[in-house]
Amino acid sequence: MNGADLIKQERKRQIYSEGWSSEHDDEHINDELALAAICYTEPNANYIIKGGQYIRIPNEDFWPKEWDKKWFKPTTRIRNLVKAGAL
């Protein structure tokens, strides 16, 4: 599967599993989706120690202020780029 197919598949997951419709996306008028995508594409990750484990956190300069950090779910580099593309 190529990158475009992976992004298309992720967008479908966001719509059908998370309920993030195009209408919902249209409500984000202050570049929130682009800012969240930046956090997923950023190669220099920020980490905190929680429960003895390193947990990646979104860049405070970019993560939308009104969004809960629980929605930031980074995994592998490729998966993060796919999520960014779907956003």
Side-chain angles (χ1 to χ4, degrees):
M1 195 175 296
N2 67 36
D5 290 334
L6 291 171
I7 290 169
K8 183 192 265 185
Q9 182 180 21
E10 170 59 14
R11 182 61 188 141
K12 285 182 182 179
R13 189 200 67 76
Q14 291 173 355
I15 292 168
Y16 297 110
S17 296
E18 303 287 349
W20 305 133
S21 66
S22 295
E23 294 78 18
H24 175 267
D25 292 351
D26 289 344
E27 296 174 10
H28 297 294
I29 58 172
N30 295 311
D31 296 323
E32 295 94 343
L33 298 174
L35 292 169
I38 288 170
C39 292
Y40 279 104
T41 61
E42 185 177 40
N44 299 319
N46 299 307
Y47 292 89
I48 60 170
I49 298 175
K50 185 175 182 180
Q53 295 182 346
Y54 284 96
I55 307 293
R56 185 171 174 199
I57 59 172
N59 184 321
E60 298 289 332
D61 294 333
F62 294 108
W63 190 253
K65 304 292 183 234
E66 56 280 343
W67 286 17
D68 193 316
K69 291 181 185 79
K70 73 178 182 180
W71 292 108
F72 183 65
K73 302 171 189 171
T75 55
T76 66
R77 183 74 177 130
I78 295 297
R79 184 78 179 114
N80 291 345
L81 292 173
V82 167
K83 289 177 184 181
L87 284 164

